[in-house]
Amino acid sequence: MHDGILTIDLDAIVANWRQLAARVAPSVCAAVVKANAYGLGMVPVSQALWRAGCANFFVATTDEGLLLREALPQARIVVLGGVRPGREQGFVEAGLWPSLFSLDAIERWLVATAASGTSAPCVINLNSGMTRLGMSPQELQRFIESADAERLDVKIFMSHLACADEPGHPLNQQQLTQYSQLVPAVKARWPEVVLSFANSSGIFLGQEFHFDLARPGAAMYGVNPTPALPNPMRPVVSLRLPVIQYRTITEPSWVGYSATVQVQAGQRLAVVLGGYADGLLRRLSNRGEGELAGHRVPIIGRVSMDATIFDVSAIPEAQLPPIGEAWVDMLSPVLDVNLVAEHMNTIGYEVLTNLGSRYHRNYVGGAS
Amino acid sequence: MHDGILTIDLDAIVANWRQLAARVAPSVCAAVVKANAYGLGMVPVSQALWRAGCANFFVATTDEGLLLREALPQARIVVLGGVRPGREQGFVEAGLWPSLFSLDAIERWLVATAASGTSAPCVINLNSGMTRLGMSPQELQRFIESADAERLDVKIFMSHLACADEPGHPLNQQQLTQYSQLVPAVKARWPEVVLSFANSSGIFLGQEFHFDLARPGAAMYGVNPTPALPNPMRPVVSLRLPVIQYRTITEPSWVGYSATVQVQAGQRLAVVLGGYADGLLRRLSNRGEGELAGHRVPIIGRVSMDATIFDVSAIPEAQLPPIGEAWVDMLSPVLDVNLVAEHMNTIGYEVLTNLGSRYHRNYVGGAS
């Protein structure tokens, strides 16, 4: 008898990954499982993908890398946030590959690995135009020509797209050109290097964006990688919250914090256990919707920390399931993560990463 | 060598609770610790408050109640979300008091406790005008006059204010009147009942709102209970994120996802490890700010999932701490939870409940 129930369809994640892998073949398809697999559970998600044949994983932080290493002793694991000073030894021991994006970081990594008597396996991240993480082209060019370059064991040469979800954006082609210009020098210095450029949306920009290794994240989890077109991905998450009170209004009444909306006699409300502490951001106040007994029902009033109110007047009273059997679906095949993101005025990614810790997480599938 | 560090000052929470307790004395002051103590850690926060003399705790869900019972075997614990069908036995065994807000729920609680051979200790929640949870005045009046009322052991009679943070809002007085009208009948039926009405902001509406037991939550955690006036509470949380890359711009460049902003040659940027997956909501994009080396620095570009970019051009290059020693404060005495809430276009409560799970949570104080 749980309260909110978040169901994660591992088979759908695997099917989405396979679809993406087929799109990029013969290139290889990795999986981005950072931020606890976008809130869905890094370990069960990664284990299901590993069983499906995925061998390359990307996380954001050292702690994520160390946790994933325990779950997948043989996987290739890249830590996109790099290796911070003082944590190099943990990378060496766990066989994590840091993404390196400055000469300082490269120097530290060379010193740490030399002290361990190991090679210096790593990923080089190029800033091709997003201006977030990444070495500048000039910096990388100078490094390639330096004596230190020979000692560095560059496994992957990557860059990241800023506007891949807008196929017509000129920055896509500019980033592709910038990245491609560095490829010959990189391959000349590290002939075995794997080239990695495309994120989820980048996969849909065409084959010239695929290179050797694609890095989808969001699309695996059901976020539409092509926002202007129908979503080619399967939905992955569903979320149900229990109704804990019905109320039939008997006189004009204000609803919720700050009394933002009034209801009239005869209207019926349902209160569910679950609010913005569970990731139903306050922006859903008087905007979002749920599904109850097959009807779409609007959120009425402010979302509060632990409770959300719905106007269920459109449902005939006889059709309202009794307390204990009544659930409002907040994420479902109909109310998918992309639609909820519109209601929240954000992107599907943020809907997922905000999913709260009070839900019972129910995993289905994933055995393949 | 952690990544993001969230420091929670238990002494400040205790000091805030004591200030609130002094304001309501001789009434008693409880503590609302639902939603994992607003994201700050229910168990350490509650234990510190218990040591300071707090004996009454309010949580939202059954799971929270069961967890708190393990930590505080002797405390009074109220579950505001009530007891869902099938979970009554857990309440009986753990000595949790459910908040009851419908005749159905009362009936179930009477049956379950009778079967256990125990009394039926509980809290009655009245809807006095917020129209969220709570019995209607008519429903409660009818119940009081029924034979079942004698069997129910009502420990607390509560209601909840919708607009307490707006002292001039007419609903405050209306709710007070509605609640007060029921008090005589409730006290006649259950002479030992404790009256509980005021939340954090309600405490500041004046003594007539205090009744027997105040229920502050937000104010204990540093959220301003009097938004139109200076914050009387001590700041409780501080948050530091490590800088993982500096960049001096050499040519006009777009920054971050969707290329929302351009920078010029000579500008300097700092990227920190931490993004919207850590609770820095995307609404902070091009709006929020941090503190680095004593300077306030604006967020530039979109906040991404695991990284956030700051324009640090205003800091002389020689003053920039090296990577490994450079931290951007996102919550601090200067950038307090109320100011960050303004940047996020929300309330301090939501800033706190969104704080992510990747931070190292560092507790200081709390021994008293």
Side-chain angles (χ1 to χ4, degrees), chain B:
Chain B
M1 179 51 70
H2 291 286
D3 295 329
I5 299 177
L6 184 69
T7 299
I8 295 134
D9 184 344
L10 294 173
D11 286 343
I13 293 175
V14 167
N16 286 336
W17 179 79
R18 288 193 167 126
Q19 185 200 136
L20 297 163
R23 280 182 191 272
V24 300
S27 301
V28 173
C29 193
V32 178
V33 295
K34 61 193 174 69
N36 196 28
Y38 293 34
L40 302 184
M42 182 181 70
V43 169
V45 166
S46 301
Q47 287 174 328
L49 289 167
W50 172 262
R51 282 190 290 268
C54 180
N56 297 275
F57 295 84
F58 289 77
V59 298
T61 71
T62 308
D63 289 344
E64 290 174 348
L66 295 172
L67 183 62
L68 185 57
R69 174 56 74 215
E70 286 181 34
L72 295 180
Q74 298 180 281
R76 280 182 216 107
I77 302 175
V78 176
V79 178
L80 292 166
V83 53
R84 294 185 49 227
R87 299 206 76 168
E88 293 86 357
Q89 195 54 34
F91 275 69
V92 169
E93 286 167 14
L96 304 178
W97 296 351
S99 170
L100 301 178
F101 31 76
S102 73
L103 292 175
D104 275 2
I106 289 174
E107 184 55 36
R108 280 193 288 106
W109 185 237
L110 283 170
V111 169
T113 49
S116 305
T118 59
S119 78
C122 65
V123 173
I124 292 280
N125 186 353
L126 173 76
N127 171 32
S128 58
M130 181 167 174
T131 325
R132 188 178 56 170
L133 295 174
M135 295 177 81
S136 72
Q138 299 76 11
E139 211 176 10
L140 178 57
Q141 192 69 56
R142 280 199 307 276
F143 178 71
I144 289 172
E145 292 158 10
S146 74
D148 279 348
E150 206 172 342
R151 296 162 52 214
L152 200 67
D153 183 11
V154 179
K155 301 290 192 186
I156 300 175
F157 174 53
M158 68 170 278
S159 188
H160 195 72
L161 288 159
C163 303
D165 57 341
E166 301 172 63
H169 200 293
L171 198 54
N172 293 323
Q173 199 59 49
Q174 290 169 30
Q175 290 197 261
L176 179 63
T177 301
Q178 180 67 82
Y179 179 72
S180 301
Q181 281 173 357
L182 272 291
V183 166
V186 168
K187 284 189 84 92
R189 174 52 85 178
W190 300 289
E192 305 289 312
V193 72
V194 168
L195 304 178
S196 181
F197 190 62
N199 55 6
S200 288
S201 294
I203 290 171
F204 292 81
L205 291 179
Q207 203 189 334
E208 71 271 31
F209 286 80
H210 293 173
F211 294 92
D212 299 325
L213 182 70
R215 302 188 310 270
M220 288 195 305
Y221 309 116
V223 175
N224 187 356
T226 56
L229 299 170
N231 187 5
M233 314 314 298
R234 271 174 60 176
V236 164
V237 287
S238 58
L239 174 62
R240 328 194 77 180
L241 300 177
V243 176
I244 57 174
Q245 179 162 32
Y246 290 119
R247 181 190 307 283
T248 300
I249 302 298
T250 56
E251 59 185 352
S253 307
W254 295 101
V255 176
Y257 278 118
S258 301
T260 57
V261 60
Q262 204 175 34
V263 287
Q264 305 301 328
Q267 281 186 265
R268 272 190 301 279
L269 307 182
V271 183
V272 304
L273 190 61
Y276 61 78
D278 304 291
L280 310 181
L281 292 190
R282 282 178 77 247
R283 255 181 301 187
L284 291 173
S285 300
N286 289 311
R287 284 175 57 112
E289 55 183 338
E291 271 185 287
L292 174 59
H295 298 257
R296 283 169 78 157
V297 289
I299 290 175
I300 183 166
R302 291 261 173 93
V303 175
S304 46
M305 188 178 291
D306 317 287
T308 304
I309 309 169
F310 293 84
D311 183 348
V312 300
S313 306
I315 308 179
E317 196 161 1
Q319 286 183 30
L320 288 174
I323 302 290
E325 298 168 25
W327 298 86
V328 172
D329 291 315
M330 296 302 299
L331 287 166
S332 70
V334 173
L335 295 172
D336 89 333
V337 66
N338 304 287
L339 179 59
V340 172
E342 277 181 43
H343 292 149
M344 283 192 192
N345 193 25
T346 187
I347 53 178
Y349 304 63
E350 196 177 35
V351 175
L352 295 178
T353 59
N354 273 312
L355 288 167
S357 59
R358 289 193 288 197
Y359 301 128
H360 172 69
R361 279 167 163 73
N362 179 35
Y363 292 93
V364 299
S368 64

Side-chain angles (χ1 to χ4, degrees), chain A residues 88-234:
Chain A
E88 294 86 355
Q89 195 53 35
F91 275 68
V92 169
E93 286 166 14
L96 304 177
W97 296 350
S99 170
L100 301 178
F101 31 76
S102 73
L103 293 173
D104 275 3
I106 289 174
E107 184 54 37
R108 278 193 289 107
W109 185 236
L110 282 170
V111 168
T113 50
S116 306
T118 60
S119 77
C122 65
V123 172
I124 291 280
N125 186 353
L126 173 76
N127 170 31
S128 59
M130 182 168 173
T131 325
R132 188 179 55 170
L133 295 174
M135 296 177 79
S136 73
Q138 299 76 12
E139 212 176 9
L140 178 57
Q141 192 69 56
R142 280 200 306 276
F143 178 71
I144 289 172
E145 291 157 12
S146 74
D148 278 348
E150 206 173 342
R151 295 161 52 215
L152 201 68
D153 183 10
V154 178
K155 301 290 192 187
I156 299 174
F157 173 54
M158 68 169 277
S159 188
H160 196 72
L161 287 159
C163 302
D165 57 342
E166 300 172 62
H169 201 293
L171 197 55
N172 293 323
Q173 199 59 48
Q174 289 168 30
Q175 289 196 261
L176 179 63
T177 300
Q178 181 68 81
Y179 180 73
S180 301
Q181 280 172 359
L182 272 290
V183 165
V186 168
K187 285 191 82 91
R189 173 52 86 179
W190 300 289
E192 305 290 313
V193 73
V194 168
L195 304 177
S196 181
F197 190 62
N199 55 6
S200 288
S201 294
I203 289 171
F204 292 80
L205 292 178
Q207 205 190 332
E208 70 271 31
F209 286 80
H210 293 174
F211 295 93
D212 299 325
L213 182 70
R215 303 188 311 270
M220 287 196 306
Y221 309 116
V223 174
N224 187 356
T226 57
L229 298 170
N231 186 6
M233 314 316 297
R234 272 174 59 175

Side-chain angles (χ1 to χ4, degrees), chain A residues 262-282:
Chain A
Q262 205 177 32
V263 287
Q264 306 300 329
Q267 279 186 268
R268 272 190 301 280
L269 306 182
V271 183
V272 304
L273 190 60
Y276 60 77
D278 304 291
L280 309 182
L281 292 189
R282 281 179 78 248

